[in-house]
Amino acid sequence: MGAAHLQKDWTSLVYAFFNLIPTICGIDGRCVHEFACSVCGCKVKVHQYLDTKDARSTGNMRKHVKLCWGTEVLDAADNAKDASEVRTNIVGSIQQTGSIVAAFERKGKGKITYGHRQHTRTETQ
């Protein structure tokens, strides 16, 4: 069973936020597709059980994308034409241009300030 055979039914744009080919495994004797998030450092794997009526449901994937990537990114993906556009324009650009300043930027709350004071013992616990 090739990757093209598996991907022909995956028309939702949310699949672009996960690795291209899922792991096919068994959990408690049930066949499962295990989708790994494509964010560097994210260890979440979303399972799709193949023996249920909602085997193609992407609700849990959307919940994870909203938490991991943000609501704005998910909304932008919903307005895209297809999954390849989401993968190249949205996911690829965020992964390539992401910087620590952009990650911690506070929108609309003034200038960004940095501190270099060492934390106290209570703050590090």
Side-chain angles (χ1 to χ4, degrees):
M1 187 180 307
H5 176 67
L6 293 174
Q7 294 175 350
K8 70 178 174 119
D9 295 331
W10 301 338
T11 57
S12 176
L13 301 176
V14 76
Y15 288 106
F17 294 98
F18 295 88
N19 291 345
L20 283 172
I21 301 175
T23 304
I24 300 172
C25 58
I27 298 177
D28 296 329
R30 299 169 69 189
C31 192
V32 175
H33 283 168
E34 187 176 74
F35 292 91
C37 183
S38 63
V39 171
C40 184
C42 182
K43 298 189 185 326
V44 171
K45 293 183 173 129
V46 178
H47 296 124
Q48 280 187 341
Y49 289 89
L50 302 178
D51 60 350
T52 61
K53 287 194 303 187
D54 61 347
R56 301 289 181 236
S57 175
T58 59
N60 287 336
M61 296 173 108
R62 291 184 63 82
K63 286 178 191 176
H64 175 72
V65 170
K66 192 180 290 187
L67 290 173
C68 194
W69 293 82
T71 308
E72 298 85 14
V73 175
L74 186 59
D75 292 340
D78 287 337
N79 296 326
K81 183 176 63 175
D82 59 0
S84 63
E85 179 184 342
V86 173
R87 185 168 278 117
T88 56
N89 294 344
I90 298 172
V91 175
S93 66
I94 289 174
Q95 287 178 337
Q96 289 176 357
T97 62
S99 68
I100 194 162
V101 175
F104 291 103
E105 185 178 47
R106 298 178 296 166
K107 295 179 177 141
K109 295 190 180 188
K111 184 180 177 185
I112 299 172
T113 59
Y114 302 94
H116 55 82
R117 178 183 61 85
Q118 184 174 359
H119 291 292
T120 64
R121 178 179 290 273
T122 307
E123 291 172 335
T124 57
Q125 291 180 349

